[in-house]
Amino acid sequence: MQHDTHHGRHGRHDHHSDHSAHAAHADHADHSDHASHADHTGHSTHSVGKVGWAMAARATLHCLTGCAIGEILGMVIGTALGWGNMATMVLAIVLAFFFGYTLTLRSILKAGVDFGTALRVAFAADTLSIAVMELIDNGVIALWPGAMDATLADTLFWGALAISLAVAFVATTPVNKWMIGRGKGHAVVHQYHH
């Protein structure tokens, strides 16, 4: 009888050990799942980083298109009318902002947003981006020897304009990435496309 009691206790002890082992195994499984989840989170973050740069590049290219249209049109009009460098540059900058905002506004309005909201979103999304782009773009042209005095028929005019826009694109892309990362800029515009 004593042997049976001992066996019973021993049996309960084994059962307790099995339960502990099972609990430890469950904890280990949870830990593995957690580790797996952590790996997955890291992977997702890495992917978002990549998407962020791609989105920033697309946003900058979108902005560049509007700026380039405005810049070229402003320089063509100013040069054709015989305006001075400063007046032509001011016109080009004003038109760059106008066309930059217009392209964004058009894409937001397509999503069915009312004009007032679309205008606010366009201003919020593009103002900093266009400002940085125009500062870099016009800065390169202003510092380029002879570029300000080149006419539309000069290769220097078109070459300086193309290079200044390319430099502006490279300089503005990180700005757009930073803004998108903070849920600002074209991240706001992107919300209206879904």
Side-chain angles (χ1 to χ4, degrees):
M1 187 72 172
Q2 190 174 4
H3 179 68
D4 289 344
T5 307
H6 177 71
H7 180 70
R9 283 184 194 149
H10 184 64
R12 280 195 296 274
H13 180 69
D14 284 349
H15 178 69
H16 182 69
S17 298
D18 290 347
H19 182 70
S20 299
H22 180 69
H25 180 70
D27 288 348
H28 181 68
D30 288 347
H31 183 69
S32 298
D33 289 346
H34 182 69
S36 172
H37 180 68
D39 289 346
H40 181 68
T41 304
H43 180 70
S44 299
T45 304
H46 185 63
S47 297
V48 168
K50 283 185 177 176
V51 172
W53 278 112
M55 189 185 287
R58 282 195 302 273
T60 307
L61 192 59
H62 178 88
C63 183
L64 183 72
T65 304
C67 287
I69 293 169
E71 284 279 331
I72 293 168
L73 198 57
M75 300 235 178
V76 167
I77 292 169
T79 305
L81 295 176
W83 290 3
N85 290 337
M86 189 53 68
T88 301
M89 188 177 277
V90 168
L91 177 64
I93 291 169
V94 168
L95 289 176
F97 272 93
F98 174 77
F99 282 102
Y101 288 137
T102 301
L103 288 180
T104 300
L105 195 59
R106 188 169 153 263
S107 68
I108 299 167
L109 288 171
K110 271 187 186 175
V113 179
D114 67 276
F115 186 79
T117 302
L119 196 62
R120 283 194 300 275
V121 170
F123 284 151
D126 285 339
T127 301
L128 181 60
S129 180
I130 295 172
V132 171
M133 191 165 282
E134 285 304 295
L135 182 68
I136 303 290
D137 175 38
N138 287 289
V140 170
I141 289 173
L143 294 173
W144 193 302
M148 290 292 286
D149 299 317
T151 64
L152 297 176
D154 293 338
T155 308
L156 176 61
F157 173 86
W158 297 104
L161 184 60
I163 289 169
S164 68
L165 287 169
V167 171
F169 174 82
V170 172
T172 309
T173 299
V175 174
N176 278 322
K177 184 180 186 301
W178 176 76
M179 287 179 70
I180 290 166
R182 289 167 56 94
K184 298 180 185 298
H186 274 257
V188 180
V189 176
H190 191 65
Q191 291 169 12
Y192 290 94
H193 293 295
H194 294 286

